[in-house]
Amino acid sequence: MKSPARMPGESGTGGAGMSAGWTASAMETPLAGSNGHGIEFHIMPTGVPPPAASLLLRGASVIDGTGAPAIPAEVLITDGRVAGLLPPGTAVDAEVVEVAGKVVCPGFVDIHTHSDLTLLSDPRGQSKVRQGVTTEVVGNCGLGVVPRPAADPVGMRAAVAYLDLDPAVRLDQTDLTGYLDALERVGPALNVAALVAHLPLRWGVRQGVAGPVTDTELTRMRDLLAEALDQGAVGLSTGLIYPPLQHADHRELCALAEVVTERDKLFAWHIRDYTDGLLESVAEVLAVARETGCRTQISHLMSVGRRNRGVVGEALAMIDRARADGFDIGVDIYPYLAGNAPLAQLLPGWLPVGGQRAVLLRDPATRQRIAAEWEHNPVGWDEIMICAMPGEDQSLVGRILDESAAELGRPAAELALDLLAEHDNAVMMVAFGRAEEDLRRVLAHPATVVASDGQALADTGATAGGVPHPRSFGCFPRYLSEFAPDLVEGVRRCTSAPADRVGLDRGRIAVGAVADLVVLDPQRLADRSSFTRPRAAPAGIELVLVGGRPVAADAEPGNGTGAVIRMTKGTR
C-alpha cells in the first residue's frame, strides 16, 4: 500500500489529530463517533447556521479542483457560495472553523452511481457523505426507474432489482420530472443529477420483449428520451449486458445517440463485455461516437478474467485514436480489483426476461446447457462472492460461491442456478479476477475520472443489509491515498474533471461557486473498508459542506442540504 497522498513537496511527517470544530460555543459539537460497526468515523456538527450566515474555514491549504497548485487561504462562505479566498489571518465577521494543517477541496462528484432508489429510502446518503461525496449522478448502466409505463410497475421493477433494496419505496413516477420531484420531497443530503436509463426507456415501448425495436417503437423511444433530457437529465446511459438491452443494435444506439448529441449531453456506456469481448465492445461504442459525434463516457473500463489481463491497454489505445481524431471520449473507473453486479449478469443472452426465465432455470435441459457454457467463463466460481440476496437465510452472503457449494456437496453452477431461479436479479455478487497493473493503467490515463459505481447506503434500515462492495464507503479516500499521482491531480479527477464530463457547475473552489466543500487530513486519509467488512467509514474526511452547510451524517432524514439538479437544454 502506498503512503497517504500528499501535496507535491510535502514532507509527510505524520498525521495530526482531528482539529476541525466550531469555535462558537453554541455550535460546539464533537466530530467523532461510531458507525455502529465498531469503527471510528468523523461526522459533521448537527447544528447548522441559518442560510444567510457566513462561515470562514481558517488555516487550511486550498486545492481548487482545477489542477492548480495548493495555496494557503481562508475560505469565506456566504449564502451557500464561496464569497472569498482570503489571505491567511484576514479578520472577517463570520463563524470560524479552525482547520489548520488540513486541506480544503471541492466535494467529490460521483458521476457513476446507482443510488436511484436508496436515496428515496434514506436521503442522508451516509456512506457517500462520509467519504466526501457532495454530488451524485444516478441512472447509470442503463438501469433506472423512469421513464416507465404506468401499466407495468412490477415487471420493470424486477428488471432493475439491483437498485431496489427497499420494498417500501413507491415507484409511482412515470417521467423524470416525477422522479426528481420525489427526490426533492425526501430532501437528499447531497446533490443529485440523473441520466436517462436505457432499460426503462425500452421497457416503456416493449415491456421487456426481446428483439430489435420497430421503426415506430424507436420513434417513441426517441421522443421519450428527448422529453427526459429536456426535463433536466444530464444524458443517457445504456447497459448492453442487461436484458433486454442485449438486443439493442447499432441502429437503435445511433438513433438514441443522435437525440443526445442534439442537446449536447452525455452518453454513458456499460459496454457489452468486459471479458473476452472487451475490444469488440469498445469498438462498438466508438463506432456510434464516430457516426453521431456524441459525447461519450465508457463506464468502469477494465479487462476482467485472468486470461484477459493486459487487454485493457489495447482498449485505451483505441480510445486514444478516437480522441486524436477529435471525438469526445471519456472513461471512469473505481480503484478496486473486483466488480459488483447481479449474479444474473452471468446468464446467457438467449434466455428470456421475466417469469419465463424462472421457469427455464428449473428446466434440466436448460440448466445443463447454461452450466456447459459457464465452464468457459473467464471468471471462476472461486472468484465470485455472494454479497446480497433476499430472504431470511443469509448463510451464503459474504461467502465465495464455490466454497459454499463444496460445503453443501453440490456443483457451484447448480447452486448458482438455484439462486437465480429463486431470486433472479435480486442476488448480487462481487466478482474478482482483475489485475492491479491494469487498474493502475486505466486510472493513470488522461481520459479517466474516478467514479464509484456504488450506492448511497445507510447504517440502519432497508439499505443496511448484505455485504456490499466497499466502493460505496471508501472509493474516493482509497483513490486519493493509494493511487493518485499527487493530491492536486487526484482531487481534480474526483471533482472538476467528472463535473465537466456531465456539464455540472460543481467541482471547483472559486468566488461565486456553490460551496460544496470537503476538509480532509491528507496524512490520515485512508479507505478502511474491505470486501468482508465494507461498512467501515474512511479516515481523514473531517468536514463536508453541501451548499455551504455542514452535512450531518447522523441527522434525521428529510433535513437534506443537497439540491436536485435539473440540467435543461443550454445549461452546459
Side-chain angles (χ1 to χ4, degrees):
M1 179 182 295
K2 291 173 60 181
S3 59
R6 305 186 182 97
M7 291 176 288
E10 278 191 327
S11 61
T13 54
M18 181 178 61
S19 62
W22 294 105
T23 56
S25 59
M27 305 187 76
E28 287 178 356
T29 306
L31 300 185
S34 168
N35 68 353
H37 296 267
I39 301 297
E40 180 191 14
F41 64 85
H42 302 284
I43 61 176
M44 316 317 145
T46 54
V48 283
S54 292
L55 305 179
L56 186 74
L57 304 182
R58 170 169 287 166
S61 294
V62 175
I63 297 177
D64 69 4
T66 68
I71 60 169
E74 321 272 69
V75 182
L76 179 65
I77 302 161
T78 303
D79 293 331
R81 292 184 178 268
V82 177
L85 295 174
L86 310 177
T90 302
V92 177
D93 183 15
E95 300 287 351
V96 175
V97 183
E98 295 289 350
V99 290
K102 306 303 188 292
V103 167
V104 177
C105 68
F108 305 137
V109 179
D110 193 348
I111 65 169
H112 189 111
T113 85
H114 294 284
S115 302
D116 306 62
L117 295 179
T118 63
L119 283 172
L120 289 177
S121 174
D122 193 316
R124 292 173 294 180
Q126 291 172 307
S127 70
K128 293 300 190 73
V129 166
R130 288 184 183 133
Q131 59 175 298
V133 174
T134 56
T135 301
E136 287 205 317
V137 177
V138 300
N140 279 277
C141 294
L143 304 175
V145 295
V146 290
R148 68 173 181 83
D152 184 30
V154 177
M156 205 205 73
R157 188 162 188 161
V160 296
Y162 172 32
L163 311 176
D164 195 9
L165 303 183
D166 185 355
V169 171
R170 295 179 58 185
L171 278 187
D172 51 7
Q173 313 89 23
T174 58
D175 64 2
L176 187 74
T177 293
Y179 171 72
L180 296 180
D181 287 350
L183 272 177
E184 285 185 333
R185 285 194 294 272
V186 299
L190 66 175
N191 308 307
V192 186
L195 292 158
V196 184
H198 191 180
L199 192 148
L201 193 68
R202 204 176 205 267
W203 205 278
V205 300
R206 290 183 69 83
Q207 283 73 54
V209 177
V213 294
T214 66
D215 290 345
T216 300
E217 289 168 340
L218 188 53
T219 297
R220 177 59 179 149
M221 288 175 66
R222 284 169 56 93
D223 290 344
L224 286 169
L225 172 58
E227 179 181 65
L229 292 173
D230 292 343
Q231 288 174 347
V234 298
L236 167 71
S237 79
T238 191
L240 299 179
I241 199 166
Y242 297 109
L245 301 183
Q246 295 159 325
H247 301 281
D249 56 16
H250 182 75
R251 164 178 154 271
E252 178 179 337
L253 295 166
C254 283
L256 298 177
E258 288 168 358
V259 178
V260 178
T261 304
E262 289 169 0
R263 288 157 174 78
D264 191 24
K265 295 192 178 183
L266 188 71
F267 193 173
W269 296 66
H270 180 133
I271 61 179
R272 287 192 195 274
D273 189 2
Y274 292 86
T275 60
D276 300 343
L278 175 66
L279 299 183
E280 293 82 359
S281 298
V282 171
E284 178 181 33
V285 176
L286 298 180
V288 173
R290 288 179 180 275
E291 185 167 329
T292 66
C294 190
R295 294 198 298 115
T296 299
Q297 187 77 6
I298 300 179
S299 299
H300 38 61
L301 180 64
M302 180 54 59
S303 50
V304 177
R306 294 186 181 101
R307 65 183 180 233
N308 295 310
R309 292 183 176 180
V311 177
V312 75
E314 299 177 51
L316 291 171
M318 295 167 64
I319 292 167
D320 286 338
R321 289 192 289 272
R323 284 163 56 86
D325 289 339
F327 295 96
D328 185 351
I329 314 295
V331 169
D332 58 68
I333 188 61
Y334 44 86
Y336 296 88
L337 294 176
N340 182 205
L343 184 64
Q345 185 172 292
L346 300 179
L347 289 171
W350 48 262
L351 275 175
V353 186
Q356 187 182 357
R357 182 159 82 175
V359 173
L360 286 172
L361 288 173
R362 292 182 172 88
D363 172 63
T366 303
R367 291 166 67 95
Q368 186 175 9
R369 180 182 173 187
I370 295 171
E373 291 188 19
W374 277 350
E375 290 179 4
H376 305 288
N377 277 357
V379 178
W381 299 117
D382 61 335
E383 298 174 304
I384 292 175
M385 183 184 83
I386 302 300
C387 64
M389 59 182 289
E392 294 183 5
D393 184 0
Q394 297 288 297
S395 60
L396 301 180
V397 174
R399 303 282 309 281
I400 297 295
L401 199 142
D402 76 333
E403 294 177 358
S404 296
E407 289 180 7
L408 295 170
R410 308 172 59 195
E414 180 181 299
L415 177 57
L417 287 166
D418 285 349
L419 291 173
L420 291 167
E422 182 68 22
H423 302 295
D424 202 358
N425 283 316
V427 181
M428 299 300 300
M429 67 174 175
V430 168
F432 296 88
R434 306 181 182 198
E436 183 169 333
E437 180 182 355
D438 287 344
L439 175 60
R440 290 188 178 278
R441 183 177 297 168
V442 177
L443 283 168
H445 192 273
T448 298
V449 300
V450 178
S452 74
D453 194 19
Q455 294 174 298
L457 303 174
D459 297 342
T460 58
T463 70
V467 185
H469 196 295
R471 65 194 180 191
S472 291
F473 302 86
C475 170
F476 293 92
R478 179 178 178 84
Y479 167 71
L480 292 172
S481 63
E482 298 188 31
F483 293 93
D486 59 67
L487 194 56
V488 167
E489 172 61 10
V491 165
R492 186 189 71 82
R493 290 182 183 239
C494 299
T495 57
S496 69
D500 288 350
R501 291 307 298 157
V502 291
L504 297 177
D505 63 340
R506 296 295 194 273
R508 289 173 171 81
I509 298 178
V511 175
V514 177
D516 296 340
L517 304 173
V518 171
V519 177
L520 60 84
D521 183 344
Q523 304 301 326
R524 297 180 56 251
L525 192 63
D527 172 21
R528 297 191 293 191
S529 62
S530 69
F531 286 101
T532 56
R533 200 162 177 255
R535 293 181 180 272
I541 302 294
E542 304 206 346
L543 188 66
V544 178
L545 295 97
V546 176
R549 298 172 62 195
V551 182
D554 62 343
E556 289 298 316
N559 296 323
T561 51
V564 174
I565 299 171
R566 303 175 198 241
M567 196 176 83
T568 56
K569 187 175 181 179
T571 299
R572 185 175 180 269

